[in-house]
Amino acid sequence: MTPLLEVRNLVTDIGSVRVVDGVSFRVTAGETYALLGESGCGKSMTALSLMRLLPDGGRVSSGAVELGGEDVLGLPEREMRRVRGGQMAMIFQEPMLALNPVIRVGEQIGEALALHQNLAGQPARDAAQALLDAVGVPDAARRLDSYPFELSGGLRQRVMIAMALAGQPRLLIADEPTTALDVTIQAQVLDVLRRLRAERQMGMLLITHDLGVVAENADRVGVMYAGELVEEGARDAFFAAPQHPYSRMLFEALPRPGDGGRLTTIPGQVPSLDSAMRGCRFAPRCPFAVARCRDEAPGWQTIDGQQVRCHLAGTLPARDARAFAAHAHSTHAAEALLEVDGLKVHFPIRRGFLQRTVGHVRAVDDVSLDIQAGRTLALVGESGCGKTTVGKALLRLIEPTAGRVVLGGETITAKNASALRRQAQMVFQDPFSSLNPRMRVADILLEGMDALGVGAASQRRDAVAQLLNRVGLPDDAGGRYPHAFSGGQRQRIAIARALAVSPRLVICDEPTSALDVSVQAQILNLLKDLQDSLGLAYLFITHNLAVVDYLAHEVGVMYLGRIVEYGAAADVLRSPRHPYTLALVSAVPRIEAQAGPGIIRLAGDQPSPLNPPGGCHFNPRCPYASDVCRQTYPDQTDLGNGHWVRCHWVAAQA
């Protein structure tokens, strides 16, 4: 079959740095080709090379890119504008950065329609509405007049897809289209992409580091490492038997259901592309490397129909299919370290000249929970459900409206919150934003110790060195600034800062959401080791259920400011009962084939906490909702073994 896109020996340089080195692949019409690999491997630069959207100083040095037989690299820029968007379109990773915040959605789609279909006025508006309908945006006519900031993350991503489709492209490039989305929204966006690909027979280049997304969406897979393709093959063959050591280690770094042991990590980091490369680029991190690997760059081999670039391909030991052992968490005293009763956080809405309060955003609305020493409670749910607000309110970084928080037997109030802060610390989602860029790492760690009077002043420098060693950072890390570290290393610094004052409780807010699976494995191993050695309690806030399954002892599922299901992690994730939990668990991308009904599609988006629905807040999206669900909020139904749920439908079945 003649390929829609053919890339041959593509080489891209940015200044003196070679970011893409000899990449070749092809995509046929109606096929999804996935580029897989860690951050920094060159995946996005490959896509930007195809679109000729390289940053300043970037250029394609050699190679060929043909789209439908047309030489893309040889076109003048004026002709390239016709191809870019009209023949080949791209969905970028962060829609809020790609969309203009001061132009309405309809106008932005209209610009693409005017350029590629010569539409203007009412015909352009009608076409834009049809595109929003095609990608599943509810109430499309009204959304045309919305600004991007008025839309949820999932809706913004759908608008990006609609803009990409405005030129009726033959090839769609999706660069990490679901990285920052909740599992339910991710499932909706991927479903839209699959449907559009089938209806329009588009080719798709899917760029991701999520093996679950690849397993459910790709036809063929290419694995990139340090600017090169190192393995390529059909999806089924690749997932059955990955041939390259790097591919295998990506699989083994994934948290698996019920597997409580240590995750396999890939030592070191992707090499800097401005360094001299000799031999196999993965050799410094490869556990199987021999002398030849370090001296001689491997060529392509064919093993069981898969192409692989490895001297040892075909001779590696069989892949370790790790046994799924039950969680082997240690038991702890039954006394709760943290007790939360009836926590509420309502933000006032003020309007008018006198700024009168006209309503409240009920971000957290009556949450109760407890955590024992040495245990992990995971709070899960979609973005906007109130998880992070709970964490901040516990530390009084946000003042709660009502409720009682007891830490170590002492009630936290506005007066004693600072004194108790030594017992509870927080690790934020984005370490680069939460670390002071003007302070050296040692000073960042010392700041909290000095403020709370931890230890003798003469001993604090030694304590900093011990902390850095404990979290796996080099001895010289204390004298460097945060920008000198990778994302995973910055997260280790954030963890070290939290540990600097010897807390008993650590609140972790999405600490692995933006990390590659290999770096995520390192952080999860670190958190588990610290818990075992120090007896720490964790409140782990996340929407990644695979991480929850690996790390958590108990799980609370939040929806619109309230916990709707609570229990042991094994009970909630293996036998979910609330319809919302059922949808969350079903939407998690998995590399193993799934049995059962498949993904449960939720209607619409999460309602606004400013005006929550009457009765059960989930009723507008629930397939089992009845009249009683619309009238009264459900009471707690006990399912045994500490597992409970708030749902009229479950209560009727009990």
Side-chain angles (χ1 to χ4, degrees), residues 398-483:
I398 293 175
E399 196 64 25
T401 305
R404 177 169 162 268
V405 179
V406 179
L407 180 63
E410 188 171 355
T411 301
I412 300 179
T413 65
K415 293 182 179 179
N416 68 2
S418 296
L420 288 177
R421 194 151 292 154
R422 179 173 174 178
Q423 294 193 49
Q425 289 287 301
M426 193 163 186
V427 178
F428 295 93
Q429 179 173 358
D430 182 0
F432 197 68
S433 298
S434 63
L435 298 174
N436 191 325
R438 296 181 178 87
M439 293 177 67
R440 298 181 191 274
V441 169
D443 296 327
I444 289 173
L445 302 188
L446 284 168
E447 186 177 32
M449 299 168 74
D450 293 339
L452 297 176
V454 177
S458 59
Q459 298 173 341
R460 288 173 193 161
R461 287 283 173 182
D462 291 337
V464 166
Q466 293 173 12
L467 268 173
L468 294 174
N469 182 262
R470 183 182 286 274
V471 299
L473 289 170
D475 295 337
D476 64 349
R480 294 152 63 188
Y481 291 94
H483 68 79

Side-chain angles (χ1 to χ4, degrees), residues 200-521:
R200 304 187 179 209
Q201 278 298 291
M202 289 188 304
M204 187 179 301
L205 177 61
L206 176 63
I207 296 170
T208 184
H209 61 251
D210 191 324
L211 283 160
V213 170
V214 173
E216 294 184 357
N217 294 275
D219 297 300
R220 290 189 303 117
V221 181
V223 181
M224 281 196 77
Y225 186 78
E228 292 183 333
L229 271 178
V230 296
E231 183 168 357
E232 185 182 62
R235 176 195 58 193
D236 292 343
F238 174 74
F239 278 85
Q243 297 295 331
H244 198 281
Y246 177 58
S247 305
R248 292 189 178 197
M249 295 180 81
L250 288 177
F251 275 92
E252 291 165 2
L254 287 173
R256 302 294 184 90
D259 185 358
R262 288 182 63 79
L263 298 173
T264 299
T265 60
I266 307 177
Q269 301 174 35
V270 178
S272 174
L273 297 177
D274 60 357
S275 59
M277 303 279 187
R278 183 181 178 186
C280 173
R281 300 184 179 189
F282 187 61
R285 306 173 73 190
C286 181
F288 307 106
V290 296
R292 182 187 178 194
C293 301
R294 298 180 180 89
D295 296 330
E296 180 185 338
W300 285 104
Q301 301 184 54
T302 301
I303 307 291
D304 296 332
Q306 292 169 248
Q307 299 292 314
V308 60
R309 184 176 283 179
C310 176
H311 292 304
L312 306 176
T315 65
L316 297 176
R319 182 181 166 208
D320 178 19
R322 295 179 293 164
F324 291 167
H327 283 280
H329 297 300
S330 56
T331 58
H332 298 270
E335 183 179 352
L337 170 65
L338 176 74
E339 297 176 81
V340 181
D341 183 31
L343 182 68
K344 295 183 180 181
V345 181
H346 295 176
F347 297 106
I349 303 297
R350 295 186 173 93
R351 290 179 182 161
F353 179 76
L354 298 178
Q355 290 292 287
R356 289 191 175 95
T357 299
V358 297
H360 288 86
V361 175
R362 301 184 178 190
V364 178
D365 202 18
D366 196 10
V367 165
S368 299
L369 53 88
D370 58 75
I371 308 175
Q372 298 169 15
R375 306 280 287 183
T376 299
L377 168 65
L379 275 185
V380 302
E382 295 172 287
S383 295
C385 71
K387 307 186 299 293
T388 297
T389 306
V390 167
K392 291 182 177 180
L394 296 182
L395 298 181
R396 299 191 91 93
L397 300 176
I398 293 175
E399 196 64 25
T401 305
R404 177 169 162 268
V405 179
V406 179
L407 180 63
E410 188 171 355
T411 301
I412 300 179
T413 65
K415 293 182 179 179
N416 68 2
S418 296
L420 288 177
R421 194 151 292 154
R422 179 173 174 178
Q423 294 193 49
Q425 289 287 301
M426 193 163 186
V427 178
F428 295 93
Q429 179 173 358
D430 182 0
F432 197 68
S433 298
S434 63
L435 298 174
N436 191 325
R438 296 181 178 87
M439 293 177 67
R440 298 181 191 274
V441 169
D443 296 327
I444 289 173
L445 302 188
L446 284 168
E447 186 177 32
M449 299 168 74
D450 293 339
L452 297 176
V454 177
S458 59
Q459 298 173 341
R460 288 173 193 161
R461 287 283 173 182
D462 291 337
V464 166
Q466 293 173 12
L467 268 173
L468 294 174
N469 182 262
R470 183 182 286 274
V471 299
L473 289 170
D475 295 337
D476 64 349
R480 294 152 63 188
Y481 291 94
H483 68 79
F485 297 89
S486 67
Q489 288 175 319
R490 285 197 290 265
Q491 199 61 281
R492 289 172 185 263
I493 295 169
I495 294 170
R497 179 179 60 182
L499 296 177
V501 296
S502 302
R504 301 169 66 190
L505 169 71
V506 178
I507 299 172
C508 301
D509 185 10
E510 300 274 13
T512 64
S513 64
L515 303 180
D516 298 317
V517 290
S518 57
V519 181
Q520 173 183 271

Side-chain angles (χ1 to χ4, degrees), residues 376-380 538-542 548 552-557 566:
T376 299
L377 168 65
L379 275 185
V380 302
Y538 292 135
L539 176 62
F540 202 88
I541 297 167
T542 185
V548 171
H553 299 86
E554 286 82 35
V555 177
V557 181
Y566 185 95

